[in-house]
Amino acid sequence: MKPLRKVFGTLLELKERPEHVALSFAVGVFLGFSPLLGLHTILGLVLAFWLRLNKVAVLLGVYANLPWIIVPYYAFSTWLGVQLIGTAGALPPPAVGFAQLLTAEFWIWLTAQWRLLLPAFVGSGLLSVLLGATAYAATLPLLRRWRPGGPDPLVSAERNP
């Protein structure tokens, strides 16, 4: 819970409209959980500059996919992709121990797993869209309510002309 408080505390301190901060964070979450593993930070910064998003909020969203979440998330998203579109001719895994890592059978099986790339991409892509939309929907009302100094004056002026 403490890391989540730190992230939200940082988002609260940003001096931009809540809608802009929430959108920036949501784009970061989308990229952080996207199938483009390894390119998250670069893509986040490129999009933040190109779309004039808040760079801090984008990077906070990108890094929401923590190291201990990555393996279960991508395993689940690959499973989801297989459930949605199937996979052609996946081979069952061999018994894996340290000694088996040195056998040709293991390496043949591993290279045959390229068939899982499309299901992994589909499952991760779908989940990243859902997580990004959820991040926006959850962050925006919280930013509006808990922003230091009360409600955003721009939002208040639009509501009470």
Side-chain angles (χ1 to χ4, degrees):
M1 244 3 223
K2 194 173 185 178
L4 189 59
R5 286 184 188 171
K6 278 185 166 183
V7 167
F8 189 66
T10 303
L11 290 175
L12 283 171
E13 293 174 5
L14 297 174
K15 304 292 184 206
E16 294 182 16
R17 292 187 355 252
E19 295 82 8
H20 191 253
V21 173
L23 177 64
S24 300
F25 182 68
V27 168
V29 169
F30 165 75
L31 290 172
F33 287 92
S34 74
L36 303 172
L37 188 62
L39 300 174
H40 297 153
T41 302
I42 294 167
L43 288 174
L45 289 172
V46 166
L47 279 178
F49 279 102
W50 186 46
L51 300 174
R52 297 182 182 183
L53 299 172
N54 185 289
K55 289 133 194 89
V56 172
V58 168
L59 289 177
L60 285 172
V62 164
Y63 295 128
N65 193 353
L66 300 169
W68 50 86
I69 296 173
I70 288 175
V71 172
Y73 171 75
Y74 285 107
F76 176 75
S77 64
T78 301
W79 174 84
L80 179 63
V82 167
Q83 300 307 307
L84 293 173
I85 65 170
T87 183
L91 303 172
V96 178
F98 184 73
Q100 284 77 25
L101 294 178
L102 303 176
T103 66
E105 176 191 7
F106 172 77
W107 292 101
I108 291 169
W109 171 80
L110 187 63
T111 56
Q113 298 313 305
W114 64 269
R115 294 177 179 109
L116 292 175
L117 286 177
L118 182 60
F121 193 86
V122 168
S124 180
L126 175 64
L127 288 176
S128 65
V129 168
L130 293 174
L131 289 170
T134 302
Y136 182 80
T139 305
L140 182 59
L142 293 173
L143 288 172
R144 285 180 175 161
R145 179 179 170 106
W146 296 103
R147 174 144 300 190
D152 188 19
L154 294 174
V155 173
S156 298
E158 290 173 2
R159 288 185 188 155
N160 300 321

